[in-house]
């Protein structure tokens, strides 16, 4: 299969999966907000925020898994493939177990001291954090398996299982809320869903890797090289979590749970606007990692220019439209209580997406050429600026800040 056809195929599967998740969330979110109440829904947001923090404990092994799985699989190198699977799988699992123990062991303390949850909601918040910790163990193994699928260019399986993992959560939560089980039941559903998806994706990866037993033994991958690449790459998701989750933590500590919901619901939808650039870049990373030889520079340049033009032509018109129609959109989607305080914060986040979109492809080019430190440096510069700005602006201007 040509690189162009491979790119279109993999991008298509990824987009279908992400689009399915976005559509499900779009229709179910208003129901959850109104049935839970704005304050309780904020604890639902904290479930995902905590899971996001715990995902950092893979220490960048996912990016290393994608790159080296693609590289060794293309070279039919059984030794290197065996090494990357062992190193990455162990790192994902041990990091998640450590983080889960820390969070679950002091869940009530974190709920009260870190998130400033009011006393009437403290027991519920503690259970939500325990569920996030337990689910994070299964999520880490899913993350590892998903990275293997991307390295094998099996974006059909990766997109389908991602759709199940993220798409079944909101409808399941809606059913449980309608049955009167509340957020406590929703948190239990989160753990059960992650466990089932983990078993399914493990079975899929095991089946897809069976032909690799016939590969020839080749040069292995040293743990030192794996760790160096992983840690360099790890700085990127740490900065990304700071950019995408730390604002919510500062809002809940400085303002209130209600303001957290008024900010997080439109913010969560707008983060979905990164689906297209993130999908294109994730597809390009294993493709670029396979490019070597005397004409590698020219091939990379062509791939960069074509994918960048494609991205901008699709993203920018949609961003202009949603910026202009934000008041009408929030009223129809969530109701009038979100319009007065959420319109301009949401518009600022739309502008953010326009600038962020152009970063994805260059960052993945640098990663594919064994220079993840460039991506890390840019992400950390953004994170540091954000933290300073939020600490100054949020106490003064609340979610507008």
């Amino acid at each position: 299969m040509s690189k162009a056809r491979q790119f279109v195929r993999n991008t298509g599967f990824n987009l279908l999966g992400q689009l399915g998740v976005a559509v499900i969330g779009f229709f179910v979110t208003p129901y959850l907000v109104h049935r839970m109440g704005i304050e309780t829904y904020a604890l639902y947001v904290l479930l995902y925020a905590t899971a996001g923090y715990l995902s950092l404990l893979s220490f960048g092994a996912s990016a290393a898994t994608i790159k080296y799985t693609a590289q060794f699989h293309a070279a039919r190198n059984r030794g290197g493939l065996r090494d990357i699977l062992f190193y990455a799988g162990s790192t994902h699992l041990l990091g998640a177990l450590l983080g889960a123990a820390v969070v679950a062991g002091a869940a009530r303390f974190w709920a009260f001291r870190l998130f400033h949850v009011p006393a009437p909601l403290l027991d519920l918040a503690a259970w939500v954090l325990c569920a996030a910790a337990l689910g994070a163990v299964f999520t880490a193994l899913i993350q590892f398996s998903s990275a293997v699928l991307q390295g094998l260019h099996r974006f059909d399986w990766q997109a389908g299982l991602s759709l199940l993992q993220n798409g079944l959560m909101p409808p399941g939560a809606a059913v449980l809320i309608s049955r009167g089980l509340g957020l406590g039941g929703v948190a239990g559903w989160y753990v059960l869903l992650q466990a089932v998806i983990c078993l399914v994706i493990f079975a899929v990866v095991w089946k897809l890797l069976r032909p690799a037993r016939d590969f020839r033994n080749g040069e292995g991958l040293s743990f030192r090289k794996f760790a160096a690449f992983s840690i360099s790459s790890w700085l990127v998701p740490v900065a990304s979590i700071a950019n995408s989750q730390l604002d919510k933590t500062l809002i809940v500590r400085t303002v209130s749970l209600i303001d957290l919901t008024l900010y997080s619901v439109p913010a969560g939808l707008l983060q979905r606007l990164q689906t297209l650039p993130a999908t294109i870049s994730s597809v390009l990373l294993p493709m670029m990692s396979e490019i070597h030889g005397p004409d590698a520079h020219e091939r990379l340049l062509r791939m960069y220019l074509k994918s960048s033009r494609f991205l901008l032509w699709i993203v920018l018109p949609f961003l202009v439209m949603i910026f202009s129609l934000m008041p009408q959109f929030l009223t129809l989607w969530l109701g009038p209580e979100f319009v007065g305080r959420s319109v301009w914060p949401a518009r600022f986040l739309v502008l953010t997406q326009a600038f962020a979109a152009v970063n994805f492809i260059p960052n993945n080019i640098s990663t594919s050429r064994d220079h993840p430190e460039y991506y890390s440096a840019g992400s950390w510069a953004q994170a540091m600026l954000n933290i300073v700005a939020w600490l100054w602006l949020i106490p003064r201007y609340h979610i507008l800040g």
Side-chain angles (χ1 to χ4, degrees):
M1 183 184 298
S2 68
K3 291 293 183 183
R5 289 185 61 188
Q6 189 178 58
F7 170 75
V8 172
R9 175 182 179 274
N10 291 342
T11 301
F13 280 122
N14 245 348
L15 284 178
L16 285 174
Q18 293 295 334
L19 181 62
V21 172
V23 169
I24 292 170
F26 180 82
F27 286 106
V28 176
T29 296
Y31 177 83
L32 294 178
V33 171
H34 294 306
R35 287 298 299 267
M36 288 186 192
I38 292 180
E39 191 171 38
T40 302
Y41 186 87
L43 297 180
Y44 182 65
V45 173
L46 290 181
L47 172 69
Y48 284 96
T50 304
Y53 289 130
L54 291 174
S55 70
L56 294 176
L57 297 179
S58 63
F59 301 105
S62 291
T65 305
I66 297 172
K67 172 182 166 50
Y68 287 117
T69 298
Q71 180 177 321
F72 292 133
H73 192 265
R76 298 181 62 84
N77 180 344
R78 184 170 59 188
L81 190 59
R82 180 184 60 244
D83 289 343
I84 183 58
L85 294 176
F86 175 74
Y87 296 151
S90 301
T91 303
H92 277 90
L93 178 60
L94 294 177
L97 288 172
L98 174 63
V102 171
V103 172
R108 194 176 180 87
F109 171 82
W110 300 122
F112 180 68
R113 293 294 184 185
L114 180 60
F115 298 121
H116 293 179
V117 175
L121 294 174
L122 205 54
D123 290 338
L124 178 59
W127 163 234
V128 166
L129 293 179
C130 287
L134 181 57
V137 177
F138 299 113
T139 302
L141 296 176
I142 294 171
Q143 187 180 22
F144 160 67
S145 303
S146 178
V148 175
L149 290 175
Q150 292 178 65
L152 296 174
H153 295 286
R154 292 311 304 261
F155 287 87
D156 48 352
W157 278 108
Q158 188 268 337
L161 291 168
S162 177
L163 178 59
L164 290 178
Q165 180 187 13
N166 299 298
L168 291 179
M169 183 62 197
V175 170
L176 293 171
I177 292 295
S178 69
R179 299 285 182 175
L181 295 178
L183 183 58
V186 172
W189 166 240
Y190 173 79
V191 176
L192 177 62
L193 179 62
Q194 305 310 309
V196 172
I197 298 298
C198 179
L199 292 175
V200 173
I201 198 170
F202 256 58
V204 170
V205 169
W206 175 257
K207 181 178 180 180
L208 293 176
L209 285 173
R210 287 177 66 183
R213 298 175 184 176
D214 296 329
F215 289 178
R216 63 183 181 277
N217 271 320
E219 183 180 357
L221 176 69
S222 69
F223 180 77
R224 181 176 181 179
K225 186 174 182 180
F226 161 78
F229 187 94
S230 295
I231 294 300
S232 297
S233 302
W234 180 56
L235 297 175
V236 174
V238 171
S240 297
I241 290 295
N243 287 319
S244 63
Q245 299 292 350
L246 191 56
D247 52 349
K248 300 177 182 63
T249 302
L250 293 174
I251 287 170
V252 75
R253 285 178 56 84
T254 308
V255 191
S256 68
L257 285 173
I258 291 175
D259 283 88
L260 176 61
T261 297
L262 293 174
Y263 173 82
S264 296
V265 174
L269 178 68
L270 291 171
Q271 284 181 349
R272 290 290 177 186
L273 297 179
Q274 294 185 358
T275 295
L276 183 59
T279 296
I280 291 174
S281 62
S282 67
V283 169
L284 288 175
L285 178 56
M287 294 174 64
M288 292 173 176
S289 298
E290 295 173 355
I291 295 177
H292 295 282
D295 62 340
H297 176 76
E298 289 75 14
R299 292 167 65 190
L300 281 172
L301 182 59
R302 287 196 300 270
M303 192 178 294
Y304 166 64
L305 292 175
K306 289 180 179 179
S307 56
S308 295
R309 292 192 195 104
F310 171 74
L311 176 64
L312 292 176
W313 273 109
I314 292 180
V315 170
L316 291 182
F318 181 74
L319 292 177
V320 172
M321 180 185 69
I322 198 171
F323 181 91
S324 303
L325 300 178
M326 185 61 69
Q328 296 86 342
F329 171 73
L330 287 179
T331 301
L332 292 173
W333 185 43
L334 296 168
E337 64 268 30
F338 277 80
V339 176
R341 295 160 65 181
S342 295
V343 168
W344 273 105
R347 278 178 163 168
F348 285 143
L349 292 174
V350 172
L351 296 175
T352 299
Q353 303 306 321
F355 291 105
V358 299
N359 289 331
F360 281 91
I361 296 174
N363 287 334
N364 278 274
I365 288 178
S366 66
T367 301
S368 72
R369 310 327 289 172
D370 293 316
H371 286 288
E373 66 273 12
Y374 299 157
Y375 193 177
S376 300
S379 299
W380 271 100
Q382 180 184 350
M384 293 298 101
L385 288 171
N386 273 339
I387 291 171
V388 172
W390 287 332
L391 289 172
W392 181 68
L393 292 170
I394 290 176
R396 290 168 174 78
Y397 303 106
H398 298 176
I399 63 174
L400 183 62

